[in-house]
Structures are given as C-alpha cells and as structure tokens.
Amino acid sequence: MQSEQQFLQNYDPSQYEHPSVTVDILIFTVADKKLRLLLIRRNTHPFQGKWAIPGGFLRMDESADDAAERRISEEAGVKNIHLEQLYTFSAVGRDPRTRVISIAYIATVPYGRLQYSAGSEADEAALFAIDGITGESLNMHPEKAAMPGDSSFILTGPEGEIITGNDLAFDHAKIIRTAVQRMRGKLNYTDLAFGFLEDPSSFTLTELRLIHEAILGHPLDIGNFRRTIKREYEAAGRIREKGLEKGTVGRPAMLYSFSQTPDGSL
Amino acid sequence: MQSEQQFLQNYDPSQYEHPSVTVDILIFTVADKKLRLLLIRRNTHPFQGKWAIPGGFLRMDESADDAAERRISEEAGVKNIHLEQLYTFSAVGRDPRTRVISIAYIATVPYGRLQYSAGSEADEAALFAIDGITGESLNMHPEKAAMPGDSSFILTGPEGEIITGNDLAFDHAKIIRTAVQRMRGKLNYTDLAFGFLEDPSSFTLTELRLIHEAILGHPLDIGNFRRTIKREYEAAGRIREKGLEKGTVGRPAMLYSFSQTPDGSL
DNA sequence: AGAATAGTGTCTTTCAGACAATATATG
DNA sequence: CATATATTGTCTGAAAGACACTATTCT
C-alpha cells in the first residue's frame, strides 16, 4: 500500500477532462421603486450583441465566494456587498463553445454605491428593471421543466428599451427567474432586503418597505409591514431608533440603524 | 471581426487551467425513527480509512443532475429518487490533492429501496444515524464562519459505533450540517418528507409524522401535525384516503396516497 | 378488561390582512 | 388650512401550540 505522500506525488489531475467553471453574478439593486439587474452587452461570440449576466472564470487560487467578490468589485466597483450563492447551472449544452458549469451568485447592492461603465463601448453595461416574473414557488430543479413562458418576463433598460428573457444570452433567462424567485422566497425570513439600504445605519421603514415591494413586485400594507418588521427586528435589538429625519416633505420619519449578525444569516 | 464559426474554431478550452468538478450525494433515509446517512469508508489516500460522502467526477456529457442520478444508482442501487441540489463547495484547500469543487446533492431514499454493500471490503458502506445538529437557521455562507462545534455532531453506525463530524473526510462534516439544516428549513413548505415514504401510494399519517420527527430531531404534537397535513394536502387533493390498514396492533390507521406535482416543487 | 395505536375536539395565543384614524411636518 | 407623509390602532379570520378526550383494534 502506498503512503499518502507517494499518492500525492503520483496523482495526475490531467488524467480526467475537466469542464470550465465560471462564476456568474446577478448584481441586483433597487432604484426608483423597481428591482433592477446589471447586465452587460456581449461584444464577442457566442451571443454577440446580446445582454448577459456578468461572470468570469474561477481561478485556481480562489473559492467561488472569492471569485464572486472579485468579479463584483471589477464589474460594479464595490466591495463588502452581501453575496449569496444561488445555484450551480450545469446543463450540457448551455454554452455552445465547450462544457461550462456556472456557479451563480446573487449580490444585493445599494443603488448609490453602484458604479458601472454605462456608456463605454468596450464593456457596455446597463441596469434593467425586471417585470412579469410570476410564480413565487421554489423550483427544486431550475434546469428542468422549462415551462412555456419561463423566459417571457420583461426587462426595461435605462432608455426605456424593452427586451424579454428570450433575448438574453445563454440560459441567463432561467438564471434570472430562479434568482428572483429565490429572493422573494427568502425575503420574509432573512435580512436580504437590508442589503439594498443606502445606509444601514440610518434608514426609514418606508425606505425598507419600498425595497420589499420592488422585490415582490406588488405593494404592501403600510401598517402591517411596520408591525411585522418591528416585531421581528426591534424586539431582538437588530434595529434601533436613531432620531428623526429632517428637511423632508410631510411628517418626518423615524430613522433606524440595523445590526448585521456575525454570519449574515437570518 | 470574426464570425461565430471562426470563433468556435479558434476557441481553445485548454488555455485556462480548470478545477476538477465532482458531485457528492448525501443519501438520506429514515429507519427506526432516525434520520440516517449513507457513508462510505475511503480505501485510498487522502483520508484513507475515514468515512466520507459518496461522490464522483462529473463527466463531460452529463449535467450535475444526471451525474447525481447516476451516482445514486451506482451507490444505492435505486432510481427515480427525489434529488435536490444543496450547495457547491469550492474552498481552495478542501481537497489536498488538487483543486476540486463539489456540487452537493441531497437524495431522499425510502429505507426499503436502499441497497448498498454493507459488508464488502472493497467499498464498505454504512448507514449512520445523525444526532446533535442544532441551530435550524439557514446559513447563507456554509463555507465561512466555522463556528466551534460545527463538526461536533454525532454519527452512530450500524453496530453502535460512534464517530463525530471531525472524524469525517474532507469538509464533509460541513456539508452534512448544511444538508440537515436545509432539510429542516424546507420540511414545512415542500414535499421533502414524502420522498422517504416506503410507498407513497399507501402510507399512514403516523408514518409521515415519524419522518418529520426524524428530520427535525424532536417529537411533534400528533393532533396538530394531522391537522396541518390534512389542511395543506387533503384540501388541495394532493393526498387521498385509500381505505384502512389491516392486521396491525391497535386501531387500524387510514391509508393515504400522495400525488407528486409535475415538477416536484412545493 | 387492558394495552396499544389512531383520530378528534377545544381552548388560547399569535399572526396576517384589511382598513380606519391620528400625528407632524411643509407651503 | 391644505397637502404630504409617517405612525398608530382596531377588527377579523387563519393558524400554531398545548392538551384533553374518544375510537377501534388485538390479546
């Protein structure tokens, strides 16, 4: 029997053919009461000219979490953003070039912190508002069961240009649908929405409610929302009153500050 | 500018170094009122002699879902099992040989259908009961924040031998903890538990309750459980009465049959 | 009858949804 | 004061949790 050292010396990773591994980042933000997603226009084949989710190859010396952080820093110029793994897409034909499996991540970025090259030719990027995604049920097999209409949701660009999920590159419509459904499902029992706050140490409950409404795609009852948030967070000391807002129209709102849990969970 | 055809011809997948991609399958079952997991004892380096989650390399012509189905068929001799992607683990040092990322799947197998080589030397496999996993909160970053005690749960083998998460190969303790927490979190709003029924077309509510209790690790109120299941499933026509059980001790139980939804969701 | 298991009913508290009413700022 | 926004209160029905009680079989 060989020793562990001998084994490691004899081990040849090239004996198997390996797929490419990429990390795709769904960079979401909330602006003007709408959930929006950062897409980039592809300037190479395949799907040249189509809009796509930003991504990149996983380097050998970084975890997928690290790669996601790196890519969002490169693409949106922002660090210390809430990132969460969504799903790993691995259908055989999803990339026409070669075998590519993609680990998809959701990033929740406050609109004010987002930086991207809106106009530049080389790497054109734009925020698209998302509408028309229905069915909040959690799909256990995102790559199976492509229902008709799965890709029929609407994306509205910065100049009002409208495309649908079918106009996107690769299987990115499927990924976006999965992401929105996941966000909706987790909204009520996680801190997801807080990741979109411009300043978590000073926000109003109206601001937080508008984020929830943008993600869900429908309005919420104001009183019930306040009651629920205060019960879930204020009693536990997760949010705290910080004094009144100033210089706004109407009654000034109470400002709150939010405390992240150590691991970002619940 | 090159055409798409030219691009495809020029594309060289080997220009990047690729990690290995494996699929790991957490084969769960419920037997004797306990949640149990199929582990195999490694007979090669690294971690020779340690217990590990079964897995295998992703082939170039199969999706991760397909690979998971293939592996569970090879390892447990069973097909058409409920499979669900858990998480993709990709920390750099998780495999000492080379860079390996692992797409983990949860399989829910009825005990009676499970076949594995319990005694054979070549590929020793065993079912381990899982105890002592606490904190049902959904961890957003399973690979970060290794709390002390994360791997301190207890696994009890077929002969009563006891090991802890720390005795497992690779980062498999972390994977198991993530899986159990995920199952607990989804138990109440998915069909997860039904995957463990010996015969979904003929089961009692007591049998279903024992599955829930095994996953959660604590007893449930009998009346409340019945009420909730009947409200959620019987009203929607998802379960139907099939007549009385026969030949058992005590009052005979009503038998039910369960209808899977097309996509296996909710 | 007694043991064992299955199934029902009731009471209380919590929570979600709908909606009305009140409070405090600006112009 | 009119307008705009924030905040509180109230009512109802659904649902969860605790727990007592009844039903049907076998030995």
Side-chain angles (χ1 to χ4, degrees):
Chain A
M1 181 169 292
Q2 59 187 351
S3 73
E4 175 149 355
Q5 192 175 14
Q6 284 171 332
F7 179 90
L8 286 171
Q9 284 170 351
N10 295 337
Y11 184 84
D12 176 13
S14 70
Q15 67 185 296
Y16 301 100
E17 201 178 358
H18 293 177
S20 297
V21 179
T22 68
V23 173
D24 285 351
I25 321 287
L26 293 113
I27 300 173
F28 285 101
T29 194
V30 175
D32 194 25
K33 303 186 181 183
K34 286 282 193 180
L35 179 67
R36 294 167 198 274
L37 178 66
L38 188 69
L39 297 177
I40 57 174
R41 194 196 286 274
R42 291 183 58 81
N43 54 21
T44 58
H45 288 295
F47 296 104
Q48 188 168 40
K50 299 282 188 186
W51 292 94
I53 301 163
F57 286 96
L58 180 67
R59 295 181 183 162
M60 291 301 277
D61 62 346
E62 64 186 0
S63 68
D65 285 9
D66 292 341
E69 279 187 41
R70 171 174 61 77
R71 281 303 281 127
I72 194 176
S73 172
E74 293 166 357
E75 202 68 46
V78 65
K79 289 185 190 297
N80 294 324
I81 287 300
H82 178 82
L83 269 170
E84 179 181 332
Q85 195 184 106
L86 170 64
Y87 195 81
T88 298
F89 294 85
S90 66
V92 171
R94 58 182 297 279
D95 189 312
R97 291 168 293 186
T98 179
R99 185 71 199 285
V100 177
I101 75 169
S102 179
I103 309 172
Y105 277 79
I106 291 173
T108 57
V109 184
Y111 179 69
R113 295 180 61 191
L114 196 55
Q115 297 179 324
Y116 58 97
S117 49
S120 88
E121 273 298 319
D123 191 21
E124 190 183 0
L127 282 179
F128 285 81
I130 304 172
D131 277 301
I133 291 186
T134 57
E136 316 190 7
S137 78
L138 19 144
N139 197 335
M140 302 237 190
H141 299 288
E143 293 195 274
K144 282 186 190 170
M147 307 244 315
D150 251 12
S151 307
S152 64
F153 57 86
I154 307 291
L155 298 165
T156 307
E159 310 294 337
E161 65 271 32
I162 291 178
I163 61 175
T164 78
N166 290 307
D167 300 321
L168 298 172
F170 304 104
D171 55 354
H172 287 185
K174 206 172 286 184
I175 296 177
I176 292 170
R177 167 175 289 271
T178 304
V180 172
Q181 289 176 343
R182 171 79 64 90
M183 289 175 78
R184 286 177 181 169
K186 298 188 86 167
L187 190 56
N188 292 313
Y189 59 98
T190 67
D191 295 339
L192 181 67
F194 292 89
F196 289 112
L197 290 171
E198 298 296 329
D199 181 359
S201 70
S202 182
F203 65 93
T204 67
L205 291 185
T206 296
E207 190 184 348
L208 187 62
R209 177 172 50 81
L210 291 174
I211 291 168
H212 278 249
E213 291 176 345
I215 295 169
L216 294 173
H218 62 76
L220 295 172
D221 181 277
I222 298 177
N224 295 340
F225 178 80
R226 295 176 64 85
R227 191 213 305 151
T228 303
I229 295 292
K230 294 185 86 159
R231 175 165 28 83
E232 296 288 321
Y233 288 92
E234 199 168 33
R238 303 284 316 281
I239 65 173
R240 239 184 272 277
E241 300 191 348
K242 301 286 284 188
L244 290 175
E245 209 177 14
K246 285 182 182 173
T248 57
V249 183
R251 177 175 173 176
M254 179 62 69
L255 293 169
Y256 292 84
S257 79
F258 169 69
S259 312
Q260 196 72 245
T261 49
D263 63 346
S265 69
L266 179 79
Chain B
M1 182 167 293
Q2 57 187 356
S3 74
E4 177 149 353
Q5 193 176 13
Q6 285 171 333
F7 178 90
L8 287 171
Q9 284 170 352
N10 294 337
Y11 184 85
D12 176 13
S14 69
Q15 67 184 296
Y16 301 100
E17 201 178 357
H18 293 178
S20 298
V21 179
T22 67
V23 173
D24 284 352
I25 321 287
L26 292 114
I27 300 172
F28 285 100
T29 194
V30 175
D32 194 24
K33 304 186 180 182
K34 286 280 193 180
L35 179 66
R36 293 168 198 274
L37 178 65
L38 187 69
L39 297 176
I40 58 174
R41 195 197 286 274
R42 293 184 57 80
N43 53 21
T44 58
H45 289 295
F47 295 104
Q48 188 168 42
K50 299 282 187 185
W51 292 95
I53 301 162
F57 285 97
L58 180 67
R59 294 182 184 162
M60 292 301 277
D61 61 348
E62 64 185 0
S63 68
D65 285 9
D66 291 342
E69 278 187 42
R70 171 174 61 79
R71 282 302 282 128
I72 194 175
S73 172
E74 293 166 358
E75 202 68 47
V78 67
K79 290 186 189 295
N80 295 325
I81 285 301
H82 178 83
L83 268 170
E84 179 180 331
Q85 194 184 106
L86 169 64
Y87 195 82
T88 298
F89 295 84
S90 65
V92 171
R94 59 181 297 279
D95 189 312
R97 291 168 293 186
T98 179
R99 186 69 199 285
V100 177
I101 76 169
S102 179
I103 309 171
Y105 278 78
I106 291 173
T108 57
V109 184
Y111 180 68
R113 295 181 61 192
L114 196 56
Q115 296 179 324
Y116 57 97
S117 49
S120 88
E121 272 298 320
D123 191 22
E124 189 183 0
L127 281 179
F128 285 81
I130 304 172
D131 278 301
I133 290 185
T134 57
E136 316 191 7
S137 78
L138 18 144
N139 197 336
M140 303 238 188
H141 299 287
E143 293 194 273
K144 283 186 189 169
M147 306 246 312
D150 251 13
S151 307
S152 64
F153 58 85
I154 307 291
L155 297 165
T156 308
E159 310 294 338
E161 64 272 34
I162 292 177
I163 62 176
T164 77
N166 290 307
D167 301 321
L168 297 172
F170 304 104
D171 54 355
H172 287 185
K174 207 172 285 186
I175 297 176
I176 292 170
R177 168 175 288 270
T178 304
V180 172
Q181 288 176 343
R182 172 81 63 90
M183 291 175 77
R184 287 178 181 169
K186 297 187 88 168
L187 190 57
N188 291 314
Y189 58 98
T190 67
D191 296 339
L192 180 68
F194 292 89
F196 289 111
L197 290 170
E198 298 296 330
D199 180 359
S201 71
S202 182
F203 65 93
T204 67
L205 291 185
T206 296
E207 189 184 349
L208 187 62
R209 177 172 51 81
L210 291 175
I211 291 168
H212 278 249
E213 292 176 342
I215 295 169
L216 293 173
H218 62 75
L220 294 171
D221 181 277
I222 299 177
N224 296 339
F225 178 81
R226 297 177 62 85
R227 190 214 306 151
T228 303
I229 295 292
K230 295 185 87 160
R231 177 167 25 85
E232 297 287 320
Y233 287 92
E234 198 166 35
R238 305 282 317 282
I239 66 173
R240 239 184 272 277
E241 299 191 349
K242 301 286 284 187
L244 290 175
E245 209 176 15
K246 284 181 183 171
T248 56
V249 183
R251 176 176 173 174
M254 179 62 69
L255 293 169
Y256 292 85
S257 78
F258 169 70
S259 311
Q260 195 73 244
T261 50
D263 63 346
S265 68
L266 181 81

